[in-house]
Amino acid sequence: MSTVSVEDKITLAKITIDEQQVLANSERTILETCRENNITIPTLCHDEQLNPLGSCQLCVVELEGHGLVTSCNTRVADGMEIRTDSAKVIASRKKILKTLLAEHYGDCVAPCQKACPAGIDIQGYLALIARGAFTEAVGLIKERLPIPATIGRICPHPCEQACRRNLVDEPLSICSLKRFAADQEMSGVRKFVPTLKPASGLKVAIVGGGPAGLSAAYYLAREGHAATIFETLPKAGGMLRYGIPDYRLPQNILDKEIDSIKNMGVKILTGKSLGKDFTVKSLLAEGYNAVFLAIGAHQSQKMRVEGEKLQGVLPGIDFLRNAAMGKETGMGKRVAVVGGGNTAIDAARVSLRLGAEEVTIIYRRSRTEMPATDWEVEEAEEEGVKLRFLAAPEKIIGENGKVKAIECIKMALGEPDASGRRRPEPVARSQFILNVDTVIAAIGQKPELSSLNSGADVMAPLSPVSEQDAIAVERGNITAHSETLLTNMKGVFAGGDCVTGAATAVEAVAAGRRAAMAIDRFLKGEDLAEPEKPFEITKGKLDEVNETEFAHFERKPRAKMPKLPEHDRLKGFPEVELGFPEEVARKEASRCLECGCKAQDDCDLRDLATEYELDSMTATRNLRLFPRDLTHPFVERDPNKCIACSKCVHICQEVQGVGALSLGYRVTPVGTSLSLMDTTCVSCGQCVATCPVGALVRKKGLKPAREVKTICPYCGVGCGIYLGVRGDFVVDARADFDNPVSRGNLCVKGQFGHEFINHPDRLKTPLIKKNGKFVEASWDEALGLIAAKLPQYKGDHFAALSSARCTNEDNYVFQKFVRGVMGTNNVDHCARL
């Protein structure tokens, strides 16, 4: 007989799952049986607290003789042959997922984060700043970028161009807020100290101490590897120190951030030059397990015009480096700067600070095409720099071997070139002359690679190595894999400007981190390729999103950066941008629309789309949109993400007995309102806990760095919770479903009531009144005062409330004390309040 009985209670059935014999409880469903046997079946509508719904259809399996069936509501029976992963099953699940995603409207990841070259969780750190958790904000930033005070001063912030706040009023001051948090942490008592993994015993040589090299060293140190930076210049920092003037980036700020990296155990050896003091092969021979080349792009491009070798013609990079090192620059009184990037702007502004009487920037395109950041151009003009657009140098005129003037020709914009900008074309017979004694060439820069492939013996005269042993170079840049940054030489990686050509510091930082992660995998013998990125859905680029979606948001002006007055700027190199005050910064951070889904790391739909290898997508256009409900104090509801699984509705009605939710709320179009506050909601949060997507989320929830299992402090019931913690801040809470008392159920206090822990007005020490004012006191002093005063208040003019945290036993003793010792029945328990 094929069925057996155990104690006449459980009937077991012999079934086959994926060609494996299984004994199953015949009272169980196929889904339950698979889970008991560690066989994963996807589902978006199943909850163990509910009767099977089967609405999502994702849990289908192939049942011999019956085709596809939903496993959540099909009981096992003797002789069943089940396939959970057949081609037919997989195809069905993929089709269902695509159908669900076709009506899913939202951003998995905030557009600002996607636009950031370093991929920083901008939405997260803005929320922390808004709460006053500045050290925690820095900790979050440093997961992707180790020098936030530096980059927060100089980044061109493409994130702000992608900010959805542009559709309401103005973008957030994301970059300046990064700087604010870093400055607060740097000057405050509470420092962020990164956690380092145990020492691996492996060491990595990093050639170059600029942004890419510093970033790589930071993340390698976090992984437990010994990192040593070899820097040719007197101090580390690269272009951050020798290419960006102090009025933008004070050197003491850069020094502090470099010191924080050195404090992690990173060694920095300065005055050590590639090809002179060591070579790539000599580093490997010395026992370094890997090498990262981060030598930057420190060589100025030539203008290739007549007279370029005259005295007074200065390469822009050399000019800025000499100025930063306090060396003689060779600059005169009338300066022409050729170029339109930030190097050109910096060269012009430095010239004024070094005593130039007149400075003119010559740029071959119009202001619109100028690659320099807008605010840098504006500040240059405020300081007296002249801008000559649509002009290009033809030759430099000399006298006695020195610059006397520069001859230029006017330009007109033609068709777009490869960069997408309109090509400048000379206007015939339009030459003009500017009388100058200095010409600074700032038209671009490239890596200096002459010593890259020098011989391995640093004690012998340098000689080229054979081609087969050389690190590959193409078009003046080191060739490296676009993802792993591995060169053609085993164990040698390269990244930053020496690979891409001159780019931004934040891009170099991102490359350094990417290299560190690839090197870590290389050292562990793992596949060098980055783990596959999870599925993403996006609403699209800024110009693809309907502005009416944001019409209900209140307009709030963008915070303006305080600046040093123009008349004080040229007295040396004081920092021009002064930073936000705390009140302004927190208010500005609170302007964030929180576009990124708060459930992005806990979204079953996204996880399944990733697992079944669906391509990332832009949300379907012309969907009927519904209002995002932000009126509830604790729960945020976005019907546009709802997949109609109905779990929240059934949990609310059948488990909680409240009935506040229904699927009917999706019938209200944008522009009208249907608020959770208009229902019988008791804020238990069970709808949030069961939602498989981001349709219902905690309004103020943030991704924690770790979780602490504990008991809710509000009363004596003993409900289990997990507190999500980042640094010293509680940023999230969730129910402990394994707790035998609460079994995942919490009241509004247990679910959402933990912000008091970090509230600035929270009392952490006793206060007693002295001379009419409350002052802090020790517990012994406070308890002694109470003991002395209590006898004076016996009788009915005394009343007592016990803490909500008191157990029944605590309350029994408390009421006995009030009645028996204090002589009154004026006693109560404040939990009812």
Side-chain angles (χ1 to χ4, degrees), residues 461-597:
L462 295 177
S463 59
V465 297
S466 63
E467 188 174 330
Q468 66 208 33
D469 292 330
I471 294 170
V473 174
E474 185 177 353
R475 297 182 180 178
N477 298 328
I478 297 174
T479 303
H481 190 279
S482 60
E483 291 183 6
T484 67
L485 302 185
L486 180 67
T487 68
N488 61 308
M489 186 178 291
K490 183 179 179 181
V492 180
F493 300 75
D497 288 0
C498 66
V499 171
T500 61
T504 62
V506 70
E507 288 174 289
V509 168
R513 183 183 182 277
R514 198 161 69 251
M517 297 298 99
I519 292 170
D520 177 59
R521 292 190 289 273
F522 169 77
L523 297 176
K524 293 173 179 175
E526 300 172 355
D527 186 353
L528 293 189
E530 287 188 84
E532 288 191 22
K533 293 183 178 179
F535 169 90
E536 283 184 15
I537 192 169
T538 173
K539 294 179 181 179
K541 296 179 181 178
L542 207 60
D543 59 1
E544 297 174 318
V545 179
N546 194 328
E547 290 186 27
T548 58
E549 183 183 339
F550 300 91
H552 60 289
F553 283 102
E554 179 186 354
R555 291 178 176 270
K556 299 176 182 178
R558 172 184 166 108
K560 303 300 180 185
M561 172 61 71
K563 295 183 181 180
L564 197 68
E566 290 91 329
H567 57 79
D568 290 331
R569 295 180 190 175
L570 303 184
K571 302 172 183 177
F573 286 78
E575 188 169 15
V576 172
E577 295 188 344
L578 304 178
F580 289 140
E582 179 178 337
E583 182 180 354
V584 172
R586 294 181 66 171
K587 184 177 180 180
E588 176 66 10
S590 68
R591 292 177 66 234
C592 179
L593 300 177
E594 299 183 318
C595 305
C597 183

Side-chain angles (χ1 to χ4, degrees), residues 439-480:
V439 176
I440 299 176
I443 60 171
Q445 56 213 68
K446 61 183 180 180
E448 207 294 294
L449 302 178
S450 61
S451 59
L452 176 65
N453 286 314
S454 299
D457 185 358
V458 296
M459 302 304 292
L462 295 177
S463 59
V465 297
S466 63
E467 188 174 330
Q468 66 208 33
D469 292 330
I471 294 170
V473 174
E474 185 177 353
R475 297 182 180 178
N477 298 328
I478 297 174
T479 303

Side-chain angles (χ1 to χ4, degrees), residues 595-609:
C595 305
C597 183
K598 293 177 182 176
Q600 63 178 266
D601 297 312
D602 189 31
C603 175
D604 295 342
L605 179 61
R606 188 187 190 198
D607 291 344
L608 288 172

